[in-house]
């Protein structure tokens, strides 16, 4: 069952890292684009890339410690699992991603980082100020113009 989930785009059981003996090796991340997105709030700052495997919040990114009542139970469970497995570590004011973490959706990544429900595609901004959503629209527009 675990092997079929990635085929149907359920990435929550796909490991974000590979374990080899006693060392942790970050899984190679084939990138769909070279765009690094940033999410900044009053309490956290994070970086994300889109890969063939999903949306990757990069090691060193921050996550808000407190969660709002608006966050869904599923995102809380995912957050707690990241804390339990040492992917998110307590650094006092906020959590820090100790390693790259793969998410099945950009909204899942956003909810874990912000500790609340949020529209992921409009929260992540590239270096020139465009949202993930704007870049996707531009990408699909240019692809449809090629047809």
């Amino acid at each position: 069952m675990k092997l079929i989930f990635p085929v149907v785009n359920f990435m929550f059981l796909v490991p974000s890292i590979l374990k080899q003996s006693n060392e942790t090796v970050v899984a190679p991340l084939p990138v769909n684009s070279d765009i690094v997105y940033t999410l900044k709030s009053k309490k956290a700052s994070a970086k994300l890339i889109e890969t063939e495997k999903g949306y990757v919040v990069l090691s060193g990114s921050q996550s808000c410690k407190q969660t709002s009542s608006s966050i869904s139970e599923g995102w809380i469970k995912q957050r707690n699992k990241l804390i339990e497995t040492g992917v998110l570590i307590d650094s006092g004011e906020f959590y820090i991603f100790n390693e790259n973490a793969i998410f099945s959706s950009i909204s899942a990544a956003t909810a874990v980082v912000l500790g609340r429900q949020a529209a992921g595609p409009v929260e992540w901004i590239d270096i020139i100020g465009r949202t993930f959503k704007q870049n996707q629209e531009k990408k699909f527009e240019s692809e449809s113009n090629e047809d």
Side-chain angles (χ1 to χ4, degrees), residues 61-131:
S61 293
Q62 302 169 345
S63 175
C64 296
K65 284 183 95 171
Q66 295 180 328
T67 58
S68 119
S69 59
S70 72
I71 191 170
S72 78
E73 189 66 32
W75 300 150
I76 289 175
K77 286 179 182 177
Q78 189 167 11
R79 221 173 121 89
N80 289 341
K81 183 178 179 185
L82 292 171
I83 293 166
E84 289 167 14
T85 57
V87 175
L88 278 177
I89 56 173
D90 191 336
S91 76
E93 275 185 74
F94 43 77
Y95 292 114
I96 297 245
F97 282 84
N98 193 35
E99 60 198 50
N100 294 341
I102 300 172
F103 293 87
S104 60
S105 74
I106 197 165
S107 292
T110 309
V112 168
V113 168
L114 295 177
R116 63 175 171 81
Q117 291 298 118
V122 298
E123 296 281 349
W124 296 92
I125 309 290
D126 69 13
I127 196 165
I128 60 173
R130 286 189 304 228
T131 66

Side-chain angles (χ1 to χ4, degrees), residues 130-146:
R130 286 189 304 228
T131 66
F132 179 83
K133 180 180 179 181
Q134 289 170 325
N135 283 333
Q136 291 299 301
E137 289 169 348
K138 185 177 177 185
K139 176 182 166 185
F140 291 121
E141 185 179 291
S142 64
E143 285 175 2
S144 67
N145 288 339
E146 291 173 4

Side-chain angles (χ1 to χ4, degrees), residues 19-35:
K19 301 273 185 188
Q20 293 181 347
S21 64
N22 292 336
E23 294 182 23
T24 300
V25 179
V26 176
L29 300 170
V31 179
N32 290 343
S33 70
D34 57 345
I35 300 173

